[in-house]
Amino acid sequence: QVTLVESGGGLVQAGGSLRLACAASGRTFGVYAMGWFRQAPGKGHEFVAGITRSGVSTYYGDSVKGRFTISRDNAKNTVSLQMSSLKPEDTAVYYCAAGFTYNPDRIYTVSYDYTDWGQGTQVTVSS
């Protein structure tokens, strides 16, 4: 099991940028594929971005492609989400998630593949 704590959320104007960070503690961080999800009011979890154990490969949801970048630092047990060109529809609670995998090339895109979740951080984009 790994404990995840997100930070970096806040209020930003449309077109602006924010960087979210997720700090992990517990089991060896490098055995987890990592991901970011978001949940807007009245909606389910939406996949935002995922990254392999090594950080070599990434994958993005269609709504954020070209605007968001996921990265990880296994030496520091952190995963980040750089968000640019933010839109009001990006407003949501953003969650960091970890999914154990033996496959170094695996990226999970559905929430049930992730076993550990952070508490979430609010991102609000004003128009």
Side-chain angles (χ1 to χ4, degrees), residues 4-112:
L4 304 172
V5 179
E6 301 98 335
S7 61
L11 174 64
V12 63
Q13 287 189 333
S17 299
L18 274 177
R19 185 176 181 87
L20 305 183
C22 175
S25 61
R27 195 173 178 181
T28 304
F29 184 62
V31 301
Y32 291 91
M34 298 298 296
W36 286 93
F37 286 76
R38 65 187 183 187
Q39 186 170 23
K43 297 186 177 181
H45 279 98
E46 177 189 5
F47 172 77
V48 174
I51 191 166
T52 54
R53 295 183 338 185
S54 66
V56 169
S57 297
T58 58
Y59 189 77
Y60 298 91
D62 288 342
S63 61
V64 307
K65 279 180 184 176
R67 300 188 298 122
F68 290 11
T69 302
I70 187 172
S71 61
R72 68 188 292 166
D73 185 337
N74 286 349
K76 296 181 179 179
N77 288 2
T78 60
V79 61
S80 299
L81 185 69
Q82 177 67 48
M83 305 184 295
S84 303
S85 302
L86 284 161
K87 305 175 182 179
E89 50 264 43
D90 293 318
T91 295
V93 177
Y94 283 71
Y95 296 91
C96 173
F100 176 83
T101 178
Y102 291 108
N103 186 343
D105 300 320
R106 177 66 54 84
I107 294 177
Y108 295 121
T109 60
V110 291
S111 59
Y112 58 73

